[in-house]
C-alpha cells in the first residue's frame, strides 16, 4: 500500500521487548501471518542483548483483533518476553520538510551533552525521527535523523551548542548524495601527518629557532603566507638534498589516517592532498597511500643542494581552494560533493569552498568558520560524519 492508501486504514502497533535470541522476528511474523495482516512498517533495535521489535500491521478482518492480541501475548510469554499492542489509524505522520543527518562525536559522550544537543534540535523546530550508533570506539559516534528544520540554521545552532558542551557535531543535508561517489581533499601538516614539514627540514639545517620566529611573525599577521614561506625556505639554503629521504622517514601519520584513506578508496571515493609544504614529501605520501591527487610547493635543488628557493606555483590559502576545484573537475565530482579537511587559517578558503569543510583539531578561528569540527585525535573519525559505521570500516578491512 502507498502512504495515501494507509492513511485511514485501522492499524495495530505490535511491540515486543525482552532478551534477544535467534528467531524472534520470524516467530512474531509467523504468529501474525495466521491473521492475514499486511505489514506497514517494521523497526528493530538490539541494545546490550535486549531487543525492541515494533511491527505496524493492518487490523485483521472479521473481528479477529481480540484473538490476535491474545495469541501474540501468549507467544511472547512463552519466550519470557513482553508484548504491547496499540490500536490506531494509518502510518507515521509525514516527516517535516528539511531533513538532515546530525552526527555527534563524544570522547566520552555524556548524558548531559546528549540532552543539550537534543534540546537545541527541538529549539530550532526540528524533530528527531531516529537515533543510531555509528561507533563505540575510539570515540562514541551517534547519528540523529532530524526533520522539520532546514540544514543551515540547524548547523548554525548546533555549532554554537557544541562549542560550549565539549562534543563535535556535524550537520549534513540528507539525500542520496551523502553516499555518492565523491572527493576528499585534506591538508598535510598537522592533519594527514602529525608534523610540520618545514620544521623537520629546519632541524637538519640547525635553524629551528629562526624558522619558528618567522612562523610566529606570520601568525601575528606581520607576514603573509608567501612571504613567510620564502623567508623560512631561505634558511634551508645549502642543505644537502639527501636530507629529503631523512625527512620522509621522520614523517608520522596522524592516527587513523591509513584507515580513513583505505576505507574511502574501497568505497569508491577519490582522495587528494594539498599542502603549503613540499612536493618532496607529498609525492612520497601519494605513492605510499595510493592518493589520487597531490599538490604542494617544490623546494629547488641544484647540484645536490637546496637553494633556499621554491619553484612553480605557490600553494597558499587561495591556492588550496583553487586546487580543490581543479581536483573536483578532474575527478568529475560536483563541488557540493567534496569534503575538505584542514587545521589552519591557511585552509579556510578550501574548507568554505567544499560541500563539507571539516576543521580537524584546529585553531578556534578555523573551528568557528568551518562547517563542522572534529576535536578527537583520530583522523578516521571523519568517516562517521559521512554515515560510515565502525562495523563497515572493519568489514572493509576483512574484504
Amino acid at each position: 500500500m502507498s502512504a495515501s492508501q494507509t492513511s485511514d486504514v485501522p492499524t495495530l502497533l505490535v511491540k515486543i521487548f525482552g532478551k534477544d535470541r535467534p528467531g524472534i522476528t520470524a516467530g512474531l511474523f509467523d504468529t501474525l501471518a495466521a491473521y492475514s495482516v499486511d505489514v506497514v512498517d517494521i523497526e528493530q533495535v538490539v541494545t546490550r542483548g535486549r531487543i525492541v521489535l515494533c511491527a505496524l500491521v493492518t487490523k485483521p478482518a472479521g473481528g479477529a483483533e481480540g484473538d490476535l492480541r491474545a495469541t501474540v501475548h501468549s507467544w511472547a510469554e512463552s519466550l519470557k518476553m513482553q508484548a504491547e499492542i496499540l490500536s490506531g489509524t494509518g502510518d507515521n505522520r509525514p516527516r517535516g520538510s528539511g531533513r538532515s543527518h546530525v552526527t555527534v562525536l563524544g570522547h566520552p559522550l555524556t548524558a548531559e551533552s546528549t540532552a543539550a544537543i537534543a534540546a537545541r534540535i527541538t529549539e530550532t523546530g526540528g524533530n528527531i525521527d531516529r537515533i543510531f550508533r555509528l561507533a563505540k570506539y575510539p570515540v562514541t559516534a551517534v547519528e540523529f535523523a532530524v526533520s522539520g528544520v532546514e540544514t543551515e540554521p540547524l548547523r548554525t545552532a548546533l555549532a554554537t551548542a557544541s562549542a560550549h558542551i565539549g562534543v563535535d557535531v556535524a550537520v549534513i543535508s540528507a539525500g542520496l548524495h551523502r553516499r555518492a561517489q565523491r572527493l576528499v581533499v585534506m591538508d598535510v601538516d598537522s592533519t594527514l601527518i602529525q608534523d610540520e614539514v618545514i620544521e623537520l627540514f629546519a632541524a637538519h639545517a640547525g635553524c629551528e629557532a629562526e624558522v619558528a620566529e618567522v612562523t610566529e611573525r606570520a601568525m601575528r599577521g606581520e607576514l603573509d603566507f608567501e612571504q613567510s614561506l620564502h623567508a623560512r625556505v631561505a634558511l634551508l639554503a645549502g642543505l644537502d638534498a639527501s636530507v629529503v629521504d631523512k625527512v620522509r622517514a621522520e614523517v608520522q601519520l596522524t592516527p587513523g589516517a591509513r584507515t580513513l584513506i583505505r576505507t574511502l578508496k574501497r568505497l569508491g571515493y577519490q582522495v587528494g592532498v594539498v599542502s603549503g609544504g613540499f612536493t618532496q614529501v607529498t609525492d612520497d605520501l601519494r605513492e605510499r597511500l595510493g592518493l589520487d591527487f597531490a599538490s604542494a610547493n617544490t623546494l629547488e635543488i641544484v647540484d645536490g643542494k637546496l637553494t633556499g628557493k621554491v619553484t612553480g606555483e605557490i600553494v597558499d590559502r587561495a591556492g588550496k581552494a583553487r586546487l580543490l576545484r581543479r581536483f573536483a573537475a578532474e575527478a568529475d565530482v560536483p563541488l557540493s560533493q567534496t569534503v575538505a579537511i584542514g587545521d589552519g587559517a591557511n585552509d579556510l578558503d578550501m574548507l568554505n569552498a567544499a560541500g563539507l569543510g571539516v576543521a580537524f583539531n584546529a585553531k578556534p578561528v578555523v573551528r568557528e568558520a568551518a562547517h563542522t569540527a572534529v576535536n578527537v585525535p583520530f583522523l578516521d573519525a571523519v568517516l562517521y560524519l559521512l554515515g560510515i559505521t565502525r562495523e563497515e570500516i572493519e568489514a572493509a578491512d576483512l574484504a
Side-chain angles (χ1 to χ4, degrees), residues 93-106:
R93 71 179 190 275
R95 294 181 65 190
S97 61
R99 300 181 185 180
S100 304
H101 299 287
V102 177
T103 306
V104 180
L105 308 180

Side-chain angles (χ1 to χ4, degrees), residues 102-107 134-143 167-172 178 184 186 191 254-264 269 339-341 356 358-361 372-390 393:
V102 177
T103 306
V104 180
L105 308 180
H107 190 55
L134 295 166
K136 60 183 178 181
Y137 72 91
V139 298
T140 301
V142 295
E143 180 177 291
V167 295
D168 298 332
V169 180
V171 182
I172 301 174
R178 191 186 189 199
V184 175
M186 68 190 90
T191 300
T254 298
R258 288 187 182 277
T259 300
L260 171 68
I261 294 169
R262 181 173 61 246
T263 304
L264 290 172
Y269 286 65
V339 179
I341 311 168
L356 176 65
V358 181
F360 180 72
N361 290 315
T372 189
V374 171
N375 296 302
V376 296
F378 313 106
L379 192 55
D380 55 340
V382 173
L383 293 168
Y384 308 139
L385 308 185
L386 306 179
I388 300 166
T389 69
R390 192 76 208 176
I393 295 168

Side-chain angles (χ1 to χ4, degrees), residues 152-298:
E152 284 305 319
L154 179 63
R155 177 182 288 157
T156 300
L158 292 181
T160 303
S162 66
H164 292 299
I165 62 179
V167 295
D168 298 332
V169 180
V171 182
I172 301 174
S173 178
L176 293 175
H177 65 274
R178 191 186 189 199
R179 285 293 189 98
Q181 186 180 48
R182 56 170 138 181
L183 170 70
V184 175
V185 175
M186 68 190 90
D187 174 44
V188 176
D189 292 12
S190 299
T191 300
L192 178 63
I193 66 175
Q194 300 179 60
D195 315 278
E196 293 289 328
V197 170
I198 186 68
E199 295 178 3
L200 297 179
F201 277 100
H204 289 280
C207 59
E208 292 172 277
E210 292 91 335
V211 165
E213 193 275 333
V214 174
T215 301
E216 183 62 29
R217 288 180 62 196
M219 292 180 67
R220 291 197 301 263
E222 297 172 11
L223 298 172
D224 64 21
F225 176 81
E226 185 170 349
Q227 290 173 317
S228 69
L229 175 68
H230 287 305
R232 288 179 291 180
V233 171
L235 295 168
L236 306 180
L239 197 60
D240 194 276
S242 62
V243 77
V244 170
D245 289 335
K246 297 176 182 177
V247 168
R248 286 174 174 174
E250 291 167 352
V251 165
Q252 300 180 75
L253 293 174
T254 298
R258 288 187 182 277
T259 300
L260 171 68
I261 294 169
R262 181 173 61 246
T263 304
L264 290 172
K265 296 291 289 180
R266 287 173 175 170
L267 289 172
Y269 286 65
Q270 297 188 62
V271 184
V273 294
V274 292
S275 176
F278 310 111
T279 57
Q280 282 82 359
V281 170
T282 58
D283 287 350
D284 180 62
L285 290 170
R286 178 175 182 169
E287 183 176 347
R288 285 167 51 195
L289 300 174
L291 301 173
D292 300 284
F293 305 98
S295 189
N297 301 299
T298 299

Side-chain angles (χ1 to χ4, degrees), residues 152 155 183-188 190-191 272 274 316-325 335-374 379 382 385:
E152 284 305 319
R155 177 182 288 157
L183 170 70
V184 175
V185 175
M186 68 190 90
D187 174 44
V188 176
S190 299
T191 300
V274 292
D316 56 8
R317 175 169 170 167
K320 288 187 174 185
R322 185 169 59 250
L323 286 163
L324 170 69
R325 294 186 176 93
L335 203 59
S336 62
Q337 293 183 16
T338 62
V339 179
I341 311 168
D343 74 296
N346 203 34
D347 301 311
L348 276 174
D349 289 2
M350 175 179 72
L351 298 181
N352 289 328
L356 176 65
V358 181
F360 180 72
N361 290 315
K363 300 168 182 63
V365 65
V366 182
R367 292 200 302 268
E368 292 168 7
H371 296 135
T372 189
V374 171
L379 192 55
V382 173
L385 308 185

